[in-house]
Coordinates of all heavy atoms in Angstrom, one line a residue:
G1 N -98.0 -126.3 78.1 CA -98.8 -126.2 76.9 C -100.0 -125.2 77.0 O -100.3 -124.6 78.1
C2 N -100.9 -125.2 75.9 CA -102.1 -124.4 75.9 C -103.2 -125.3 75.6 O -103.1 -126.2 74.7 CB -101.9 -123.3 74.9 SG -100.5 -122.1 75.3
I3 N -104.3 -125.1 76.2 CA -105.5 -125.8 75.9 C -106.5 -124.9 75.2 O -106.9 -123.8 75.6 CB -106.3 -126.3 77.2 CG1 -105.3 -127.3 77.9 CG2 -107.6 -127.0 76.9 CD1 -105.8 -127.9 79.2
V4 N -107.0 -125.3 74.0 CA -107.9 -124.6 73.2 C -109.0 -125.6 72.7 O -108.6 -126.6 72.2 CB -107.3 -123.9 71.9 CG1 -108.4 -123.3 71.0 CG2 -106.2 -122.9 72.4
N5 N -110.2 -125.2 72.9 CA -111.4 -126.1 72.6 C -111.2 -127.5 73.1 O -111.4 -128.6 72.5 CB -111.5 -126.2 71.1 CG -112.1 -124.8 70.5 OD1 -112.7 -124.1 71.2 ND2 -111.7 -124.6 69.3
G6 N -110.6 -127.7 74.3 CA -110.4 -128.9 75.0 C -109.3 -129.8 74.6 O -109.0 -130.9 74.9
K7 N -108.5 -129.2 73.6 CA -107.2 -129.9 73.1 C -106.0 -129.2 73.5 O -106.0 -128.0 73.6 CB -107.2 -129.9 71.6 CG -106.2 -130.8 71.1 CD -106.2 -131.1 69.5 CE -105.0 -131.7 69.2 NZ -105.0 -132.4 67.9
L8 N -105.0 -130.1 74.1 CA -103.8 -129.5 74.6 C -102.8 -129.4 73.3 O -102.6 -130.3 72.7 CB -103.3 -130.5 75.6 CG -101.8 -130.2 76.2 CD1 -101.9 -128.8 77.0 CD2 -101.4 -131.3 77.2
Y9 N -102.1 -128.2 73.3 CA -101.2 -127.9 72.2 C -99.8 -127.7 73.0 O -99.8 -127.1 74.1 CB -101.5 -126.8 71.4 CG -102.7 -127.0 70.5 CD1 -104.0 -126.6 70.9 CD2 -102.5 -127.6 69.3 CE1 -105.1 -127.0 70.1 CE2 -103.6 -127.9 68.5 CZ -104.9 -127.6 68.8 OH -106.0 -127.8 68.1
P10 N -98.7 -128.1 72.4 CA -97.4 -127.8 73.0 C -96.9 -126.3 72.9 O -97.4 -125.6 72.1 CB -96.5 -128.7 72.2 CG -97.1 -128.8 70.8 CD -98.6 -128.7 71.1
L11 N -96.0 -126.0 73.7 CA -95.4 -124.7 73.6 C -94.7 -124.5 72.3 O -94.2 -125.4 71.7 CB -94.3 -124.5 74.7 CG -94.9 -124.5 76.2 CD1 -93.8 -124.3 77.1 CD2 -95.8 -123.3 76.3
G12 N -94.8 -123.3 71.7 CA -94.1 -122.9 70.5 C -95.1 -122.8 69.4 O -96.4 -122.4 69.6
L13 N -94.7 -122.8 68.2 CA -95.5 -122.6 67.0 C -96.4 -123.8 66.7 O -95.8 -124.8 66.6 CB -94.7 -122.2 65.8 CG -95.5 -122.0 64.5 CD1 -96.1 -120.6 64.6 CD2 -94.3 -121.7 63.4
I14 N -97.6 -123.6 66.4 CA -98.5 -124.7 65.9 C -98.9 -124.2 64.5 O -99.6 -123.4 64.4 CB -99.9 -124.9 66.8 CG1 -99.4 -125.3 68.2 CG2 -100.8 -125.9 66.3 CD1 -99.3 -124.1 69.2
E15 N -98.5 -125.1 63.6 CA -98.6 -124.7 62.1 C -100.0 -124.7 61.7 O -100.5 -123.8 61.0 CB -97.8 -125.6 61.2 CG -96.4 -125.5 61.3 CD -95.8 -124.1 60.6 OE1 -96.6 -123.6 59.8 OE2 -94.8 -123.7 61.1
R16 N -100.8 -125.6 62.2 CA -102.2 -125.8 61.9 C -103.1 -126.5 62.9 O -102.8 -127.6 63.2 CB -102.4 -126.4 60.5 CG -103.9 -126.6 60.1 CD -103.8 -127.3 58.8 NE -105.3 -127.8 58.5 CZ -105.5 -128.5 57.5 NH1 -104.6 -128.7 56.5 NH2 -106.9 -128.9 57.3
T17 N -104.0 -126.0 63.5 CA -105.0 -126.6 64.4 C -106.1 -127.3 63.7 O -106.1 -127.2 62.4 CB -105.5 -125.6 65.4 OG1 -106.4 -124.8 64.7 CG2 -104.5 -124.8 66.2
E18 N -106.8 -128.1 64.3 CA -107.8 -128.9 63.7 C -109.0 -127.9 63.2 O -109.7 -128.3 62.3 CB -108.5 -129.7 64.7 CG -107.7 -130.9 65.2 CD -108.4 -131.8 66.3 OE1 -109.5 -131.4 66.7 OE2 -107.7 -132.8 66.7
D19 N -109.0 -126.6 63.6 CA -109.8 -125.8 63.2 C -109.4 -124.7 62.2 O -109.9 -123.6 61.9 CB -110.6 -124.8 64.4 CG -111.3 -125.9 65.3 OD1 -111.9 -126.8 64.9 OD2 -111.4 -125.6 66.5
C20 N -108.1 -125.0 61.7 CA -107.6 -124.2 60.5 C -107.1 -122.9 61.1 O -107.2 -121.8 60.5 CB -108.4 -124.1 59.5 SG -108.9 -125.6 58.6
Y21 N -106.3 -122.9 62.3 CA -105.7 -121.7 62.8 C -104.2 -122.0 62.9 O -103.7 -123.1 63.2 CB -106.2 -121.3 64.0 CG -107.5 -120.7 63.9 CD1 -108.8 -121.3 64.0 CD2 -107.8 -119.2 63.8 CE1 -110.0 -120.8 63.8 CE2 -109.1 -118.7 63.7 CZ -110.2 -119.4 63.8 OH -111.3 -118.9 63.6
R22 N -103.4 -120.9 62.8 CA -101.9 -121.0 63.0 C -101.8 -120.3 64.4 O -102.1 -119.2 64.5 CB -101.3 -120.3 62.0 CG -99.6 -120.5 62.2 CD -98.9 -119.7 61.0 NE -97.6 -120.0 61.3 CZ -96.6 -119.9 60.3 NH1 -97.0 -119.8 59.1 NH2 -95.4 -120.2 60.6
C23 N -101.1 -121.0 65.3 CA -101.0 -120.5 66.7 C -99.5 -120.4 67.3 O -98.8 -121.1 66.8 CB -101.9 -121.2 67.8 SG -103.7 -121.4 67.2
H24 N -99.4 -119.6 68.2 CA -98.2 -119.6 69.0 C -98.6 -119.7 70.5 O -99.4 -118.9 71.0 CB -97.4 -118.3 68.8 CG -96.2 -118.5 69.5 ND1 -95.9 -118.0 70.7 CD2 -94.9 -119.0 69.2 CE1 -94.6 -118.1 71.2 NE2 -94.0 -118.8 70.1
C25 N -98.0 -120.7 71.1 CA -98.3 -120.9 72.5 C -97.2 -120.7 73.4 O -96.0 -121.1 73.1 CB -98.8 -122.5 72.8 SG -98.9 -123.1 74.3
D26 N -97.2 -119.9 74.5 CA -96.3 -119.7 75.4 C -96.9 -119.5 76.8 O -98.0 -119.8 77.0 CB -95.4 -118.5 75.0 CG -96.2 -117.1 75.0 OD1 -97.2 -117.0 75.7 OD2 -95.8 -116.2 74.2
E27 N -96.0 -119.2 77.7 CA -96.5 -119.2 79.1 C -97.7 -118.2 79.3 O -98.4 -118.2 80.3 CB -95.2 -118.8 80.1 CG -94.2 -119.9 80.1 CD -93.3 -119.9 79.0 OE1 -93.2 -119.0 78.1 OE2 -92.6 -121.0 78.9
A28 N -97.7 -117.2 78.4 CA -98.7 -116.0 78.6 C -100.0 -116.5 78.0 O -101.0 -115.9 78.2 CB -98.1 -114.8 78.1
G29 N -100.0 -117.6 77.3 CA -101.3 -118.1 76.7 C -101.1 -118.3 75.2 O -100.0 -118.7 74.8
M30 N -102.1 -118.4 74.5 CA -102.0 -118.7 73.1 C -102.7 -117.7 72.2 O -103.7 -117.1 72.4 CB -102.8 -120.0 72.9 CG -102.6 -120.7 71.4 SD -102.9 -122.5 71.7 CE -103.2 -123.1 70.1
E31 N -102.0 -117.3 71.1 CA -102.4 -116.3 70.1 C -102.5 -117.1 68.8 O -101.7 -117.8 68.4 CB -101.5 -115.1 70.0 CG -101.4 -114.4 71.2 CD -100.5 -113.0 70.9 OE1 -100.2 -112.7 69.8 OE2 -100.1 -112.5 72.0
C32 N -103.7 -116.7 68.2 CA -104.0 -117.6 66.8 C -104.3 -116.6 65.8 O -105.0 -115.5 66.1 CB -105.1 -118.6 67.1 SG -104.5 -119.8 68.3
C33 N -104.3 -117.0 64.6 CA -104.7 -116.2 63.4 C -105.2 -117.3 62.4 O -104.8 -118.4 62.3 CB -103.8 -115.3 62.7 SG -102.2 -116.0 62.0
S34 N -106.3 -116.9 61.6 CA -106.9 -117.9 60.8 C -106.0 -118.2 59.5 O -105.3 -117.3 59.1 CB -108.2 -117.4 60.4 OG -108.2 -116.3 59.6
L35 N -106.0 -119.4 59.0 CA -105.5 -119.7 57.8 C -106.4 -119.6 56.5 O -106.0 -119.9 55.4 CB -104.9 -121.2 57.9 CG -103.9 -121.5 58.8 CD1 -103.6 -122.9 59.1 CD2 -102.6 -120.8 58.5
F36 N -107.5 -119.0 56.8 CA -108.5 -118.9 55.7 C -109.0 -117.6 55.5 O -108.9 -116.8 56.3 CB -109.7 -119.9 55.8 CG -110.3 -119.7 57.2 CD1 -111.3 -118.8 57.4 CD2 -109.8 -120.5 58.4 CE1 -111.9 -118.8 58.7 CE2 -110.5 -120.4 59.5 CZ -111.6 -119.5 59.8
H37 N -109.5 -117.4 54.3 CA -110.2 -116.1 53.9 C -111.6 -116.3 53.7 O -112.0 -117.2 53.2 CB -109.4 -115.5 52.7 CG -108.0 -115.1 52.8 ND1 -107.0 -116.0 52.6 CD2 -107.4 -114.2 53.3 CE1 -105.8 -115.5 52.9 NE2 -106.1 -114.3 53.3
T38 N -112.3 -115.3 54.0 CA -113.8 -115.5 54.0 C -114.3 -114.7 52.8 O -114.0 -113.5 52.5 CB -114.6 -114.8 55.2 OG1 -114.0 -115.4 56.4 CG2 -116.0 -115.0 55.1
P39 N -114.9 -115.4 51.7 CA -115.5 -114.8 50.6 C -116.6 -113.7 50.9 O -117.4 -114.1 51.9 CB -116.0 -115.9 49.8 CG -116.0 -117.1 50.8 CD -115.4 -116.8 51.9
V40 N -116.5 -112.7 50.3 CA -117.6 -111.5 50.6 C -118.3 -111.2 49.3 O -119.5 -110.7 49.5 CB -116.9 -110.3 51.3 CG1 -116.4 -110.8 52.8 CG2 -115.8 -109.7 50.6
A41 N -117.6 -111.2 48.2 CA -118.3 -110.7 47.0 C -118.4 -111.8 46.0 O -117.5 -112.4 45.4 CB -117.3 -109.6 46.3
Y42 N -119.7 -112.3 45.9 CA -120.1 -113.5 45.2 C -121.7 -113.4 45.0 O -122.2 -112.6 45.6 CB -119.6 -114.8 45.6 CG -120.3 -115.1 47.0 CD1 -121.4 -115.9 47.1 CD2 -119.6 -114.7 48.2 CE1 -122.0 -116.1 48.3 CE2 -120.1 -115.0 49.4 CZ -121.4 -115.7 49.4 OH -121.9 -116.0 50.7
D43 N -122.2 -114.0 44.0 CA -123.6 -114.1 43.7 C -124.4 -114.8 44.9 O -124.5 -116.0 44.8 CB -124.0 -114.7 42.3 CG -125.3 -114.6 42.0 OD1 -126.2 -114.3 42.9 OD2 -125.6 -114.6 40.8
K44 N -124.8 -114.0 46.0 CA -125.5 -114.6 47.1 C -126.7 -115.3 46.8 O -127.3 -116.0 47.5 CB -125.6 -113.6 48.2 CG -124.2 -113.2 48.7 CD -124.3 -112.0 49.8 CE -122.9 -111.8 50.4 NZ -121.9 -111.2 49.4
K45 N -127.4 -114.9 45.7 CA -128.8 -115.4 45.3 C -128.6 -116.8 44.6 O -129.4 -117.9 45.0 CB -129.5 -114.6 44.3 CG -129.9 -113.2 45.0 CD -130.7 -112.5 43.9 CE -131.1 -111.2 44.5 NZ -131.8 -110.3 43.4
K46 N -127.5 -117.0 43.9 CA -127.2 -118.3 43.4 C -126.2 -119.2 44.0 O -126.3 -120.4 43.7 CB -126.8 -118.0 41.9 CG -127.8 -117.4 41.0 CD -127.3 -117.2 39.6 CE -128.2 -116.5 38.7 NZ -127.7 -116.4 37.4
C47 N -125.5 -118.7 44.9 CA -124.4 -119.5 45.4 C -124.4 -119.5 47.0 O -125.0 -118.6 47.7 CB -123.1 -118.8 44.9 SG -122.8 -118.6 43.2
K48 N -123.7 -120.4 47.6 CA -123.6 -120.5 49.1 C -122.2 -120.9 49.4 O -121.3 -121.3 48.6 CB -124.5 -121.6 49.5 CG -124.1 -123.0 49.1 CD -125.1 -124.0 49.7 CE -124.7 -125.4 49.3 NZ -125.6 -126.4 49.9
V49 N -121.7 -120.6 50.6 CA -120.3 -120.8 51.1 C -120.3 -122.1 51.9 O -121.2 -122.2 52.8 CB -120.0 -119.4 51.9 CG1 -118.5 -119.7 52.5 CG2 -119.9 -118.3 51.1
V50 N -119.4 -122.9 51.7 CA -119.2 -124.1 52.4 C -117.7 -124.2 52.9 O -116.8 -123.9 52.0 CB -119.5 -125.3 51.6 CG1 -119.4 -126.5 52.3 CG2 -120.9 -125.2 51.0
F51 N -117.5 -124.4 54.2 CA -116.1 -124.5 54.6 C -115.5 -125.8 54.3 O -116.0 -126.9 54.6 CB -116.0 -124.3 56.3 CG -114.6 -124.2 56.7 CD1 -113.9 -123.0 56.4 CD2 -114.1 -125.1 57.5 CE1 -112.7 -122.8 56.9 CE2 -112.9 -124.9 57.9 CZ -112.1 -123.8 57.6
N52 N -114.2 -125.8 53.7 CA -113.6 -127.0 53.3 C -112.4 -127.1 54.5 O -111.4 -126.4 54.3 CB -113.0 -126.8 51.9 CG -112.3 -128.0 51.4 OD1 -111.7 -128.8 52.1 ND2 -112.2 -128.2 50.2
K53 N -112.6 -127.9 55.3 CA -111.7 -128.1 56.4 C -110.4 -128.8 56.0 O -109.4 -128.5 56.4 CB -112.4 -129.0 57.5 CG -111.7 -128.8 58.9 CD -112.6 -129.5 59.9 CE -112.2 -129.1 61.3 NZ -113.1 -129.7 62.3
K54 N -110.5 -129.7 55.0 CA -109.2 -130.3 54.3 C -108.4 -129.2 53.9 O -107.1 -129.3 54.0 CB -109.6 -131.3 53.3 CG -108.4 -131.9 52.7 CD -109.0 -132.9 51.6 CE -107.7 -133.6 51.1 NZ -108.1 -134.5 50.0
H55 N -108.7 -128.2 53.1 CA -107.9 -127.1 52.6 C -108.0 -125.9 53.4 O -107.2 -124.9 53.0 CB -108.4 -126.9 51.2 CG -108.3 -128.0 50.1 ND1 -109.5 -128.6 49.7 CD2 -107.3 -128.6 49.8 CE1 -109.0 -129.5 48.9 NE2 -107.7 -129.7 48.9
C56 N -108.7 -125.9 54.5 CA -108.7 -124.7 55.3 C -109.1 -123.4 54.5 O -108.3 -122.4 54.6 CB -107.4 -124.4 56.1 SG -107.0 -125.6 57.4
D57 N -110.2 -123.6 53.8 CA -110.7 -122.6 52.9 C -112.1 -122.7 52.8 O -112.7 -123.7 53.0 CB -109.8 -122.4 51.6 CG -109.9 -121.0 51.0 OD1 -110.5 -120.2 51.7 OD2 -109.3 -120.9 50.0
Y58 N -112.8 -121.7 52.3 CA -114.2 -121.7 51.9 C -114.3 -122.0 50.3 O -113.7 -121.5 49.5 CB -115.0 -120.5 52.2 CG -115.2 -120.1 53.7 CD1 -114.3 -119.3 54.3 CD2 -116.2 -120.8 54.4 CE1 -114.5 -119.1 55.7 CE2 -116.4 -120.6 55.7 CZ -115.6 -119.7 56.3 OH -115.8 -119.5 57.7
D59 N -115.3 -122.8 50.1 CA -115.7 -123.1 48.7 C -117.0 -122.4 48.5 O -117.8 -122.5 49.4 CB -116.0 -124.6 48.3 CG -114.7 -125.4 48.5 OD1 -113.6 -124.8 48.2 OD2 -114.7 -126.7 48.9
V60 N -117.1 -121.6 47.5 CA -118.3 -121.0 47.0 C -119.1 -121.9 45.8 O -118.4 -121.8 44.7 CB -118.1 -119.5 46.6 CG1 -119.5 -118.8 46.1 CG2 -117.3 -118.9 47.7
V61 N -120.1 -122.5 46.0 CA -120.7 -123.3 45.1 C -122.1 -123.0 44.9 O -122.8 -122.2 45.7 CB -120.7 -124.7 45.6 CG1 -119.3 -125.3 45.8 CG2 -121.3 -124.9 46.9
Q62 N -122.7 -123.4 43.7 CA -124.0 -123.1 43.3 C -125.0 -123.8 44.3 O -124.8 -124.9 44.7 CB -124.2 -123.6 41.9 CG -123.5 -122.7 40.8 CD -123.8 -123.2 39.5 OE1 -124.8 -123.9 39.2 NE2 -123.1 -122.7 38.5
K63 N -126.0 -123.1 44.6 CA -127.1 -123.7 45.6 C -127.7 -124.9 44.9 O -128.0 -125.7 45.7 CB -128.0 -122.6 46.0 CG -127.5 -121.5 46.9 CD -128.5 -120.5 47.3 CE -128.1 -119.4 48.2 NZ -129.1 -118.5 48.5
D64 N -128.1 -124.8 43.7 CA -128.8 -125.8 43.1 C -127.9 -126.9 42.6 O -128.5 -128.1 42.3 CB -129.6 -125.2 42.0 CG -129.0 -124.6 40.9 OD1 -127.7 -124.4 41.1 OD2 -129.5 -124.3 39.9
D65 N -126.6 -126.8 42.5 CA -125.7 -127.8 42.1 C -124.4 -127.6 42.8 O -123.4 -127.0 42.2 CB -125.5 -127.9 40.5 CG -124.7 -129.1 40.1 OD1 -124.3 -129.7 40.9 OD2 -124.5 -129.2 38.9
P66 N -124.2 -128.1 44.0 CA -122.9 -127.9 44.7 C -121.7 -128.4 44.1 O -120.6 -128.1 44.5 CB -123.2 -128.5 46.2 CG -124.7 -128.5 46.1 CD -125.2 -128.7 44.8
S67 N -121.8 -129.2 43.0 CA -120.6 -129.7 42.4 C -120.0 -128.6 41.5 O -118.8 -128.7 41.0 CB -121.0 -130.9 41.6 OG -121.7 -130.5 40.5
K68 N -120.7 -127.6 41.2 CA -120.3 -126.4 40.5 C -119.8 -125.3 41.2 O -120.5 -124.8 42.2 CB -121.3 -126.0 39.4 CG -121.6 -127.1 38.4 CD -122.6 -126.6 37.4 CE -123.1 -127.7 36.4 NZ -124.0 -127.3 35.5
K69 N -118.6 -124.7 41.1 CA -118.2 -123.6 41.8 C -118.7 -122.2 41.2 O -119.1 -122.1 40.1 CB -116.6 -123.6 41.8 CG -116.1 -124.7 42.6 CD -114.6 -124.5 42.9 CE -114.1 -125.7 43.8 NZ -113.0 -125.5 44.4
C70 N -118.7 -121.3 42.1 CA -119.0 -119.9 41.7 C -117.9 -119.0 41.7 O -116.8 -119.2 42.3 CB -120.1 -119.3 42.7 SG -121.6 -120.2 42.7
I71 N -118.0 -117.9 40.9 CA -117.0 -116.9 40.9 C -116.9 -116.0 42.1 O -117.9 -115.7 42.6 CB -117.1 -116.0 39.7 CG1 -116.9 -116.8 38.3 CG2 -116.0 -114.9 39.7 CD1 -117.3 -116.1 37.0
V72 N -115.8 -115.9 42.7 CA -115.6 -115.0 43.9 C -114.8 -113.9 43.5 O -113.8 -114.0 43.0 CB -115.0 -115.8 45.0 CG1 -114.7 -114.9 46.3 CG2 -115.7 -117.1 45.4
Y73 N -115.3 -112.6 43.7 CA -114.7 -111.4 43.3 C -113.8 -110.8 44.4 O -112.9 -110.1 44.1 CB -115.9 -110.4 42.9 CG -116.9 -110.9 42.0 CD1 -118.1 -111.4 42.2 CD2 -116.3 -111.0 40.6 CE1 -118.8 -111.9 41.2 CE2 -117.0 -111.5 39.6 CZ -118.4 -111.9 39.9 OH -119.3 -112.4 38.9
A74 N -114.1 -111.1 45.7 CA -113.3 -110.6 46.8 C -113.3 -111.5 48.0 O -114.3 -112.1 48.3 CB -113.6 -109.3 47.1
R75 N -112.3 -111.5 48.9 CA -112.2 -112.3 50.0 C -111.5 -111.4 51.1 O -110.7 -110.6 50.9 CB -111.3 -113.6 49.9 CG -111.9 -114.7 48.9 CD -110.9 -115.8 48.8 NE -111.4 -116.7 47.7 CZ -112.0 -117.9 48.1 NH1 -112.3 -118.2 49.2 NH2 -112.4 -118.6 47.1
V76 N -112.0 -111.6 52.3 CA -111.4 -110.9 53.4 C -110.8 -111.9 54.4 O -111.3 -112.9 54.7 CB -112.5 -110.0 54.1 CG1 -112.0 -109.4 55.3 CG2 -113.1 -109.1 53.2

């Protein structure tokens, strides 16, 4: 298996790690890619980015009222 961040993963495909990555583990090691996109175009003065671990994505919410979402124009 492969060890990442102190956790042992089995050989083969790992659909989702605790940190929201999809990985493949083999004898050569482990290769991973993120399951989330980072928001880059939003109103940075009024809004903030919060990572949602349950959904493996970022929520962009209003700074003064985090219960309200902001419009995101682009994600990378």
Side-chain angles (χ1 to χ4, degrees):
C2 300
I3 297 177
V4 175
N5 295 331
K7 181 166 180 171
L8 178 64
Y9 290 95
L11 291 172
L13 179 66
I14 296 98
E15 290 289 335
R16 178 180 166 179
T17 67
E18 291 177 358
D19 296 331
C20 296
Y21 287 86
R22 182 180 184 150
C23 303
H24 185 267
C25 170
D26 61 25
E27 291 80 13
M30 193 151 157
E31 290 186 21
C32 300
C33 60
S34 66
L35 293 172
F36 51 89
H37 295 93
T38 305
V40 292
Y42 60 93
D43 186 340
K44 292 175 176 64
K45 290 182 182 177
K46 294 181 182 177
C47 304
K48 65 180 179 177
V49 176
V50 179
F51 190 68
N52 184 328
K53 207 169 190 177
K54 181 179 178 184
H55 295 112
C56 286
D57 206 357
Y58 286 99
D59 293 329
V60 181
V61 296
Q62 292 182 11
K63 289 179 181 178
D64 58 354
D65 186 356
S67 68
K68 295 181 181 175
K69 293 195 174 200
C70 294
I71 295 172
V72 176
Y73 304 104
R75 294 176 184 260
V76 175

